[in-house]
């Protein structure tokens, strides 16, 4: 701060005896008195040190006190130093005005009273010390402000870098999803077609092993992508009407073979008071049930797996139901000291379990996120006997719109066939995917034409009689599937039945479905494409259901165009 050192005071007088008198009055350990016998000498001292106050004689030979004061006030470094003039002249108005106009802050006449001069000097020194402290505090404040600005700039840059990294991560995942699922699409699709042919028992066994291994790999890929979406906060619900009992039965049907192979019971109990049709995200609910039941079957060698479903009403909202699911098994159980590891990502209860049973350690962490997303919680119930029990709850609503169909339903064909079923178009740039889709459609009894990219698809869709159904890949060179769909919808003839456009996408990131619908697509199939998925889509958009579907699509597309 600079005030701990002796305070410098400059005394200026051309007569040595006057300087001695001033020194005698002001001498103190607190002050360092600097003596100058001329204006020039005083200016020289002012260049070297900082002074709290200047005592300046007015009448001096050469450069007098008035001129010296003007030079002092003309310099930025010294202009704020208070000057006390000492003069032998009487205090006439003209003399006083000249001194004050030169920059003096006070005026004393010789002979002066020592105590008055001393008190004035002490007052100016106190002001100097206070001013120095304020300057120091201001300097520290400025340094803190600069440091905060620097930290803030770093945070802004870090935030921008994190956003860029998150965007790059999302784009990378979307690309990797596409790149991984594209070859898997060929593997699983061709195996499905192979299993539809006549095979020897040994060949069928090998083919089923390949399909099971491929399905396991797809499950692992899905877990990793789901966990990444969960980390980035991109996981969303897609709610629609669904029938709970049918959804549970569908999940159980998936595990009947595995359970019977191990000789396990697989039973569910459901309250009769639960409404038949509910409104929520059956897809995410199914994902949680599949994960828990798959774990139970994996870790159970004898006994069974039991699911109990109950419901309770929300006191604040009569239309809302709280469903509680308990999945109990008679397997190896969970040690109490291992429970805290269950819902941590990439965590296995024991490394030996990973070697024996496999798995990524992501399933329960994903289940916890999904359950919380659906307004519930998941926990492990303590078990006195052997086995494990997981209980989770989710919030759903009663389905008030009885005319809206549950999401598991597939509209049956009114006439058993599509409008112009022979006119089907497959749009994909990958040769394996082209062959796979054409083979699947041929297997189902339909002929298909192939377009290499979106631009070719637009041209072919608008020529001649067009196509009744188009299976459109999203990521393609020249023109992608979204742009191709938009152009087809914009250019289609109003007198012609618009085609059903089904997206085929390996990109499972959130928001893809809404982009497909906004572009004008009717529905989408996730890669790897299965024969059952293609059959389901053809059945869903058969002639009995296509009219209402296309009307709804045209309204949705028209609204999206207006909004955009």
């Amino acid at each position: 701060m600079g005030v701990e050192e002796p305070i410098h005071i400059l005394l200026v007088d051309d007569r040595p005896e006057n300087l001695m008198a001033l020194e005698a009055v002001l001498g103190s350990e607190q002050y360092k008195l600097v003596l100058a016998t001329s204006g020039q000498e005083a200016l020289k001292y002012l260049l070297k040190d900082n002074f709290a106050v200047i005592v300046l004689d007015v009448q001096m030979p050469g450069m007098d006190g008035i001129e010296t004061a003007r030079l002092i006030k003309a310099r930025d470094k010294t202009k704020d130093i208070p000057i006390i003039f000492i003069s032998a002249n009487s205090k006439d108005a003209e003399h006083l005005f000249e001194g004050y106009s030169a920059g003096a802050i006070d005026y004393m006449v010789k002979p002066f009273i020592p105590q008055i001069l001393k008190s004035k000097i002490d007052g100016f020194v106190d002001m100097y010390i206070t001013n120095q402290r304020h300057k120091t505090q201001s300097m520290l404040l400025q340094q803190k402000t600069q440091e905060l600005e620097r930290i803030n700039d770093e945070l802004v840059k870090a935030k921008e870098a994190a956003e860029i990294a998150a965007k790059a991560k999302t784009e990378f995942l979307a690309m990797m999803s596409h790149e991984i699922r594209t070859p898997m699409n060929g593997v699983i699709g061709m195996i499905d077609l192979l299993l539809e042919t006549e095979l020897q028992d040994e060949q069928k066994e090998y083919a089923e092993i390949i399909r099971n291994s491929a399905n396991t790999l797809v499950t692992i890929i899905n877990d990793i992508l789901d966990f990444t979406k969960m980390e980035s906060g991109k996981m969303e619900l897609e709610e629609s009407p669904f029938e709970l009992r049918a959804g549970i039965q569908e999940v159980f049907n998936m595990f009947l073979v595995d359970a019977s192979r191990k000789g396990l019971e697989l039973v569910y109990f459901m309250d009769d008071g639960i409404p038949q049709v509910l409104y929520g995200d059956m897809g995410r609910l199914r994902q949680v049930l599949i994960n828990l039941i798959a774990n139970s079957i994996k870790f159970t060698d004898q006994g069974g797996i039991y699911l109990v479903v109950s419901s309770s009403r929300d006191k604040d909202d009569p239309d809302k139901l709280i469903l509680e699911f308990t999945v109990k098994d008679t397997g190896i159980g969970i040690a109490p000291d291992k429970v805290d590891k269950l819902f941590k990502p990439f965590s296995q209860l024991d490394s030996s379990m990973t070697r024996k049973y496999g798995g990524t350690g992501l399933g329960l962490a994903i289940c916890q996120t999904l359950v919380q997303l659906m307004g519930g919680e998941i926990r492990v119930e303590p078990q006195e006997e052997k086995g494990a029990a997981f209980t989770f709850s989710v919030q759903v609503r009663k389905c008030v719109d009885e005319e809206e169909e549950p999401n598991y339903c597939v509209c049956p064909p009114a006439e058993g066939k599509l409008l112009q079923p022979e006119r089907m178009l497959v749009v994909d740039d990958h040769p394996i995917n082209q062959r796979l889709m054409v083979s699947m459609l041929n297997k189902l009894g339909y002929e298909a034409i192939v377009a290499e990219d979106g631009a070719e698809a637009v041209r072919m869709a608008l020529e001649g009689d067009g196509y009744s159904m188009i299976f459109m890949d999203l990521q393609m060179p020249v023109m992608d599937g979204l742009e191709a769909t938009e152009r087809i919808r914009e250019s289609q003839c109003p007198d012609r039945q618009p085609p059903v456009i089904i997206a085929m996408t390996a990109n499972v990131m959130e928001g893809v479905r809404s982009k497909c619908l906004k572009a004008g697509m009717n529905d989408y199939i996730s890669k790897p494409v299965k024969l059952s998925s293609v059959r389901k889509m053809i059945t869903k958009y058969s002639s009995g259901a296509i009219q209402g579907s296309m009307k709804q699509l045209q309204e949705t597309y028209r609204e999206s165009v207006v909004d955009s």
Side-chain angles (χ1 to χ4, degrees):
M1 190 164 60
V3 297
E4 291 82 1
E5 300 177 0
I7 305 300
H8 287 64
I9 298 175
L10 181 60
L11 308 177
V12 187
D13 199 306
D14 63 305
R15 302 184 66 174
E17 60 271 20
N18 291 341
L19 291 175
M20 290 178 61
L22 290 169
E23 193 174 13
V25 173
L26 302 175
S28 168
E29 292 183 358
Q30 183 184 1
Y31 303 146
K32 179 179 180 180
L33 303 177
V34 179
L35 310 181
T37 57
S38 66
Q40 292 88 342
E41 188 178 7
L43 294 174
K44 189 185 300 181
Y45 285 130
L46 287 167
L47 292 175
K48 293 170 57 181
D49 297 311
N50 295 321
F51 291 89
V53 64
I54 301 172
V55 180
L56 181 59
D57 187 25
V58 175
Q59 293 179 322
M60 293 185 296
M63 183 187 297
D64 62 11
I66 301 295
E67 186 179 355
T68 303
R70 287 196 177 100
L71 291 174
I72 291 171
K73 294 299 179 181
R75 295 177 178 176
D76 289 336
K77 182 183 178 182
T78 58
K79 65 181 180 179
D80 295 326
I81 303 175
I83 298 174
I84 301 176
F85 272 142
I86 296 181
S87 174
N89 290 340
S90 60
K91 283 188 176 183
D92 58 83
E94 182 179 350
H95 196 71
L96 288 173
F97 177 76
E98 187 179 10
Y100 285 123
S101 64
I105 200 169
D106 206 346
Y107 216 108
M108 296 190 68
V109 179
K110 297 176 184 179
F112 55 82
I113 300 173
Q115 290 84 356
I116 294 177
L117 177 62
K118 180 84 163 56
S119 64
K120 288 185 176 183
I121 293 296
D122 289 343
F124 286 125
V125 167
D126 288 343
M127 290 172 58
Y128 171 77
I129 292 173
T130 302
N131 187 49
Q132 289 297 104
R133 285 175 179 162
H134 287 164
K135 285 182 178 179
T136 302
Q137 291 172 356
S138 177
M139 182 180 65
L140 292 174
L141 182 61
Q142 186 176 7
Q143 289 175 352
K144 288 290 184 183
T145 302
Q146 291 174 349
E147 185 177 357
L148 288 173
E149 288 176 351
R150 180 183 59 79
I151 294 173
N152 187 56
D153 290 340
E154 290 177 356
L155 288 174
V156 170
K157 291 178 181 177
K159 178 177 175 291
E160 292 174 351
E163 289 174 349
I164 293 171
K167 183 180 179 182
K169 182 179 179 182
T170 301
E171 292 175 351
F172 172 76
L173 284 169
M175 181 191 68
M176 288 304 298
S177 172
H178 182 268
E179 294 301 318
I180 293 174
R181 285 169 178 269
T182 296
M184 288 304 300
N185 183 47
V187 172
I188 293 178
M190 289 299 180
I191 287 295
D192 281 346
L193 291 174
L194 181 61
L195 287 169
E196 292 288 326
T197 63
E198 292 185 7
L199 298 174
Q200 298 177 5
D201 291 342
E202 186 177 7
Q203 292 172 330
K204 188 173 183 180
E205 181 184 357
Y206 293 161
E208 286 178 347
I209 291 173
I210 295 173
R211 182 170 65 176
N212 292 336
S213 299
N215 288 335
T216 301
L217 181 57
V218 170
T219 301
I220 293 172
I221 294 170
N222 288 340
D223 280 350
I224 295 171
L225 292 172
D226 275 343
F227 177 72
T228 306
K229 287 188 287 184
M230 177 183 75
E231 270 196 325
S232 61
K234 302 260 182 206
M235 191 170 281
E236 298 175 355
L237 297 179
E238 292 184 6
E239 297 183 327
S240 61
F242 68 93
E243 186 175 315
L244 180 61
R245 188 177 296 274
I248 292 174
Q249 188 61 55
E250 181 183 341
V251 172
F252 270 55
N253 289 342
M254 295 173 60
F255 296 102
L256 286 176
V257 175
D258 293 334
S260 62
R261 186 182 296 120
K262 299 179 76 171
L264 302 175
E265 276 190 306
L266 190 58
V267 185
Y268 72 89
F269 307 92
M270 184 171 163
D271 280 357
D272 294 333
I274 298 176
Q276 180 180 0
V277 180
L278 299 169
Y279 192 84
D281 192 336
M282 185 61 208
R284 294 302 188 187
L285 178 57
R286 185 186 296 111
Q287 187 175 350
V288 176
L289 288 172
I290 288 173
N291 201 298
L292 294 178
I293 294 173
N295 282 347
S296 293
I297 290 178
K298 184 193 299 184
F299 297 115
T300 303
D301 292 326
Q302 58 182 355
I305 293 90
Y306 309 95
L307 170 64
V308 180
V309 187
S310 59
S311 69
S312 60
R313 296 188 181 277
D314 192 307
K315 296 179 181 179
D316 300 328
D317 189 345
D319 291 331
K320 186 181 292 184
L321 289 178
I322 299 174
L323 299 180
E324 186 172 88
F325 300 80
T326 299
V327 179
K328 187 179 183 306
D329 63 57
T330 57
I332 61 176
I334 302 168
D337 59 332
K338 304 288 187 181
V339 171
D340 58 337
K341 293 183 179 180
L342 281 174
F343 300 104
K344 292 182 179 178
F346 305 105
S347 177
Q348 295 277 11
L349 299 188
D350 195 321
S351 59
S352 61
M353 294 176 66
T354 306
R355 293 192 297 270
K356 183 176 180 180
Y357 297 104
T360 60
L362 289 174
L364 289 177
I366 294 171
C367 285
Q368 184 179 52
T369 300
L370 292 175
V371 168
Q372 291 172 351
L373 199 61
M374 291 185 283
E377 60 180 15
I378 186 170
R379 64 185 183 275
V380 182
E381 299 288 354
Q383 295 293 299
E384 294 182 1
E385 65 247 15
K386 195 175 182 181
F390 286 83
T391 297
F392 71 93
S393 60
V394 297
Q395 293 183 6
V396 296
R397 290 186 177 275
K398 297 177 184 177
C399 190
V400 294
D401 188 359
E402 298 295 338
E403 295 181 358
E404 188 172 4
E405 294 193 39
N407 65 1
Y408 73 91
C409 284
V410 178
C411 301
E415 300 175 10
K417 58 180 181 179
L418 283 169
L419 297 176
Q420 297 179 314
E422 72 281 0
R423 302 292 294 175
M424 288 196 178
L425 180 64
V426 174
V427 188
D428 202 307
D429 63 306
H430 201 287
I432 294 177
N433 291 341
Q434 293 172 4
R435 184 176 177 183
L436 171 64
M437 282 303 300
V438 171
S439 298
M440 284 185 173
L441 291 170
N442 291 343
K443 192 74 178 178
L444 295 173
Y446 304 104
E447 292 185 2
I449 309 298
V450 173
E452 298 281 347
D453 54 60
E456 187 177 358
V458 173
R459 178 181 58 78
M460 294 175 67
L462 299 178
E463 288 179 350
D465 295 331
Y467 296 86
S468 53
M469 180 169 279
I470 301 174
F471 290 89
M472 180 84 72
D473 188 28
L474 291 189
Q475 291 180 298
M476 294 179 291
V478 184
M479 182 186 296
D480 62 33
L482 295 175
E483 184 180 352
T485 301
E486 288 176 350
R487 295 198 181 185
I488 292 172
R489 295 303 187 204
E490 290 169 357
S491 306
Q492 64 192 13
C493 179
D495 298 331
R496 182 193 299 172
Q497 177 69 44
V500 175
I501 302 181
I502 307 297
M504 299 185 297
T505 174
N507 186 349
V508 295
M509 305 305 288
E510 296 295 337
V512 172
R513 182 177 183 273
S514 60
K515 288 180 181 178
C516 291
L517 296 177
K518 188 175 181 180
M521 293 179 172
N522 299 74
D523 217 321
Y524 77 103
I525 302 174
S526 295
K527 292 181 180 179
V529 176
K530 296 182 179 179
L531 185 63
S532 58
S533 301
V534 177
R535 182 189 291 114
K536 183 177 179 180
M537 281 297 163
I538 293 175
T539 307
K540 181 176 181 179
Y541 292 99
S542 61
S543 56
I546 197 169
Q547 302 292 340
S549 174
M550 293 311 302
K551 181 180 179 183
Q552 182 181 6
L553 168 71
Q554 289 166 350
E555 291 175 356
T556 303
Y557 179 66
R558 197 178 302 116
E559 289 173 2
S560 69
V561 171
V562 172
D563 292 340
S564 60

